[in-house]
Amino acid sequence: MPAATPLPAPPLPGTGDRWALFLDVDGTLLEFAERPGDVRVDPELYALLAELYAYLDGALALVSGRSLVGLDALFGSPPWAMAGLHGLQLRHADGERRETRVSASRRTLVLHAAESIARAHPGVLVENKDLAVALHCRAAPAAYEALREAVLALLPGLPGYELQAGNLVLELKPAGMDKGKAVTELLERPPFAGRLPVYLGDDLTDEHGFAATNLENGISVRVGEREPTLAQYTLPGPSSAQAWLQRVLNVLKQGVEPHAHALGGNA
């Protein structure tokens, strides 16, 4: 297979551009940790996002596989919009929430199925996200393919659920929702409506976000080197993504006054 054509670095906003930023978290803004709970947001990153939120008139959203509760814990309950669990949970910019409904019995069934798989694969971590369950094998990467086969074998007994594969993680989640649909939903309402979507993501789950962004003639940015991708641009990793976002902020500061209040706190 021939090597993929190298992707260019993303552009910066031009005069008069009205951007809406959609940002994945793990692997994009933050480096991965062996356990999701070990990840921390430093004050500098929080301050950067808070200023971007202000200069974009609130048109900034996190689009993550983490739950809204997990995102609030990580970022200190920020005011910006957030899509959690790949869009199964959504908090709009005005605070209105939307969440996929799944019965307690169905959630318990899926959790027990995931736990049974994990017991057969030492080193695999089960993360209960309530609506979804993730099986992390960052501590046992060699187990990924066997883990995937085991999950696929159990799926027929879990109606209404689907497998969402990611970077050394396999997630059992309710079917019918993804990050792209979450982005499209956010774009239908202020402060995102009428703006150019700019989506940063690193993982297979973010390809849905890239697709939705491309359909709107937006800017899709892969963070890292995963192939194949629908992204149009690339950045090497989370540190370069943060550096690029700082450059975006610098450009915005030259041309506009902040309309939303910048925040002084941190995560």
Side-chain angles (χ1 to χ4, degrees), residues 114-153:
E115 289 173 339
S116 70
I117 294 173
R119 283 194 293 269
H121 297 85
V124 170
L125 171 70
V126 175
E127 181 187 7
N128 182 7
K129 299 181 178 182
D130 195 22
L131 287 177
V133 182
L135 290 156
H136 297 270
C137 59
R138 199 160 298 280
Y144 185 85
E145 283 306 320
L147 198 63
R148 181 175 178 274
E149 291 178 7
V151 172
L152 287 173

Side-chain angles (χ1 to χ4, degrees), residues 49-123:
L49 296 178
E51 282 204 88
L52 284 166
Y53 168 80
Y55 277 89
L56 291 169
D57 199 16
L60 178 148
L62 301 181
V63 184
S64 175
R66 290 178 182 262
S67 67
L68 291 183
V69 169
L71 289 171
D72 274 338
L74 193 58
F75 287 91
S77 299
W80 45 76
M82 299 196 296
L85 300 179
H86 313 287
L88 292 169
Q89 299 174 326
L90 186 64
R91 187 167 73 214
H92 286 279
D94 61 5
E96 181 183 332
R97 293 175 64 120
R98 188 267 298 148
E99 180 170 313
T100 299
R101 300 290 184 183
V102 179
S103 69
S105 60
R106 181 62 55 83
R107 295 198 302 269
T108 299
L109 174 67
V110 173
L111 176 60
H112 288 171
E115 289 173 339
S116 70
I117 294 173
R119 283 194 293 269
H121 297 85

Side-chain angles (χ1 to χ4, degrees), residues 24-261:
D24 173 49
V25 177
D26 296 277
T28 297
L29 293 177
L30 301 170
E31 297 286 355
F32 284 108
E34 189 168 298
R35 302 176 68 89
D38 293 340
V39 173
R40 296 289 180 270
V41 174
D42 62 45
E44 291 77 15
L45 173 58
Y46 184 88
L48 171 61
L49 296 178
E51 282 204 88
L52 284 166
Y53 168 80
Y55 277 89
L56 291 169
D57 199 16
L60 178 148
L62 301 181
V63 184
S64 175
R66 290 178 182 262
S67 67
L68 291 183
V69 169
L71 289 171
D72 274 338
L74 193 58
F75 287 91
S77 299
W80 45 76
M82 299 196 296
L85 300 179
H86 313 287
L88 292 169
Q89 299 174 326
L90 186 64
R91 187 167 73 214
H92 286 279
D94 61 5
E96 181 183 332
R97 293 175 64 120
R98 188 267 298 148
E99 180 170 313
T100 299
R101 300 290 184 183
V102 179
S103 69
S105 60
R106 181 62 55 83
R107 295 198 302 269
T108 299
L109 174 67
V110 173
L111 176 60
H112 288 171
E115 289 173 339
S116 70
I117 294 173
R119 283 194 293 269
H121 297 85
V124 170
L125 171 70
V126 175
E127 181 187 7
N128 182 7
K129 299 181 178 182
D130 195 22
L131 287 177
V133 182
L135 290 156
H136 297 270
C137 59
R138 199 160 298 280
Y144 185 85
E145 283 306 320
L147 198 63
R148 181 175 178 274
E149 291 178 7
V151 172
L152 287 173
L154 277 182
L155 264 183
L158 303 172
Y161 272 71
E162 65 184 0
L163 170 62
Q164 176 65 70
N167 189 330
L168 294 178
V169 61
L170 295 162
E171 194 158 343
L172 287 161
K173 58 181 278 291
M177 177 53 69
D178 58 50
K179 290 182 175 183
K181 292 176 181 176
V183 167
T184 299
E185 189 173 340
L186 287 167
L187 284 170
E188 293 174 349
R189 295 171 55 165
F192 302 96
R195 288 177 174 263
L196 185 78
V198 180
Y199 188 103
L200 272 66
D202 72 298
D203 209 346
L204 185 63
T205 63
D206 295 302
E207 292 296 324
H208 300 292
F210 297 152
T213 298
N214 293 345
L215 283 173
E216 297 292 332
N217 296 312
I219 296 170
S220 50
V221 186
R222 176 196 62 189
V223 177
E225 300 178 346
R226 189 190 52 75
E227 293 280 0
T229 184
L230 295 173
Q232 305 159 314
Y233 303 95
T234 194
L235 291 164
S239 61
S240 60
Q242 290 189 33
W244 180 76
L245 288 170
Q246 182 63 61
R247 293 177 64 202
V248 170
L249 176 61
N250 294 343
V251 171
L252 294 175
K253 283 183 172 181
Q254 293 171 12
V256 299
E257 292 296 324
H259 298 290
H261 293 293

